Amino acid sequence: MTWPEKTLPTTDASEKRSLGAGVFRRCDGCAHTHDAAELARTFEVCSQCGHHHKLDADGWRRLLLDDGELAQWDDHLVPNDPLRFSDGKSYRDRVAALHKKLRAKEAIEIGRARMDGRDVAYGAFVFAFMGGSMGSVVGEKITRLFERAAREELPVVLLQSSGGARMQEGILSLMQMAKSVAALERYRKTRLPFLSVLLHPTTGGVAASFAFLGDVNIAEPKALIGFAGPRVIENTIRQTLPAGFQRAEFLLDHGMVDLIVPRLEMKARIGTLLQHLSDGRRARR
C-alpha cells in the first residue's frame, strides 16, 4: 500500500489564527457573544447586561470630547531611566516597545478640549501603557495640567485608571504623589471645578493622591477603586472582606465617591456638573 505524501505546512504555527478571532467578543459579565464592531459602537458596554469593559483613551476621546478632538499638551515628554532598572528587560526597552505598539509616549494624555461647547483642560490615563502607572512623566504632566488650567482659567476633567506608582522609577515615582497634589491645591485658588472620574481600576499611588480630591468624584459601575487590592488586604489583616469591597457601589455607600454614572451617560452628566459649578463660581465673583 502506498501512502500519500505529507503536505508540508505553508505557515508557521505561531501565525495561525482562530476562526473569528477579532470578529466576535464574549461579554465578561453575561458571556453573551457580541459582534466586535457592535461592542465598539456601544463604547465597550454590553447591550445585554450593561457590563462595562475597558475603554481605551481613544474611545474616551470619541465618547466625551466634541468631535473627539484633543489639542495635546506636553506630548514631547518621555521617561528617562535614572535607576537603570532591569527585570530581565531594561526599562528603556520596555518603554520603546510600548511607544511602537501603542503610539503613546506615556501613560497619560493631557490637553485642551471642548465638551458640549465648553472649553476644558482634559486628562486621561492610558492603562495599556504599563498599567497606567505613575512615573515622573505622568506626575509632571498632571502637574502641568493643573498649572496650565489655572493660567487659562479652565475647569479640569481627569479620567483615572492606574495600577499605582511605577516601580521602575522607585522613590522618584512616589514623589509624584506630593507634587501633583501640591499643583492641585494651587489650582483650587482659582475656584474652578475639578471633576475626578474613577475608572476600572484606580489603585495605588493615584488613588492615594489626587483621584479622591475632585470637587465631584465620579465612578463607573463596578469599578475597582482603592489603594491596595482586596487579596493583599485580606492576606495582611487575615480577615474576609465584605462582599463588593472596593467596588464603586461599596465606596458610594461609604461616602468615598459622589456619583456612579454609566458610561453612555457620562458626557451629559459631566456637562451638567460643569455648568452648575462654573455658574456658581461666576455668582461668587
Side-chain angles (χ1 to χ4, degrees), residues 20-53:
V23 178
F24 299 103
R25 294 265 307 279
R26 177 168 291 181
C27 174
D28 294 336
C30 65
H32 180 80
T33 300
H34 292 272
D35 181 289
E38 174 196 349
L39 205 54
R41 283 192 297 271
T42 60
F43 295 95
E44 301 295 321
V45 178
C46 176
S47 58
Q48 302 296 312
C49 70
H51 181 80
H52 287 47
H53 301 87

Side-chain angles (χ1 to χ4, degrees), residues 45-269:
V45 178
C46 176
S47 58
Q48 302 296 312
C49 70
H51 181 80
H52 287 47
H53 301 87
K54 281 193 179 74
L55 183 65
D56 61 18
D58 178 66
W60 279 108
R61 286 197 304 272
R62 291 186 287 107
L63 177 63
L64 296 182
L65 307 183
D66 294 355
D67 300 319
E69 294 182 357
L70 175 67
Q72 292 204 33
W73 295 338
D74 303 307
D75 192 42
H76 64 285
L77 297 177
V78 294
N80 206 334
D81 186 14
L83 304 182
R84 298 179 183 177
F85 188 94
S86 177
D87 55 354
K89 186 174 184 179
S90 74
Y91 180 38
R92 286 183 183 274
D93 289 345
R94 288 192 183 280
V95 169
L98 287 167
H99 285 176
K100 183 177 180 180
K101 178 182 178 181
L102 302 176
R103 298 182 182 178
K105 294 182 179 178
E106 250 300 343
I108 193 171
E109 59 180 27
I110 63 171
R112 187 184 185 111
R114 293 177 71 83
M115 297 181 67
D116 288 332
R118 183 187 300 274
D119 289 324
V120 299
Y122 173 86
F125 275 76
V126 182
F127 190 81
F129 196 107
M130 300 187 75
S133 54
M134 182 169 63
S136 298
V137 171
V138 171
E140 178 66 16
K141 292 181 80 169
I142 291 170
T143 299
R144 294 189 184 195
L145 174 70
F146 287 122
E147 290 177 342
R148 189 160 176 176
R151 291 196 304 270
E152 299 186 14
E153 296 194 332
L154 297 171
V156 174
V157 178
L158 180 56
L159 278 62
Q160 344 267 354
S161 180
S162 173
R166 186 171 299 175
M167 67 174 186
Q168 289 87 349
E169 295 186 20
I171 191 65
L172 299 175
S173 178
L174 296 176
M175 289 169 58
Q176 307 311 309
M177 297 168 64
K179 176 180 175 179
S180 54
V181 170
L184 170 57
E185 289 306 305
R186 294 192 296 271
Y187 173 77
R188 289 199 188 283
K189 295 178 182 178
T190 67
R191 302 182 74 86
L192 288 158
F194 163 43
L195 302 187
S196 179
V197 183
L198 297 95
L199 310 179
H200 175 77
T202 299
T203 61
V206 171
S209 51
F210 48 83
F212 284 109
L213 297 180
D215 294 301
V216 181
N217 297 321
I218 308 168
E220 278 202 306
K222 298 183 180 179
L224 175 66
I225 304 166
F227 180 63
R231 282 181 297 178
V232 173
I233 296 174
E234 283 192 330
N235 290 335
T236 301
I237 66 175
R238 300 180 185 278
Q239 293 184 29
T240 300
L241 297 172
F245 181 76
Q246 289 190 332
R247 294 291 172 174
E249 292 74 14
F250 185 92
L251 270 65
L252 180 66
D253 290 341
H254 290 78
M256 296 296 291
V257 299
D258 301 299
L259 295 169
I260 295 176
V261 180
R263 183 175 297 164
L264 300 182
E265 300 174 18
M266 190 71 75
K267 182 174 183 177
R269 188 64 64 90

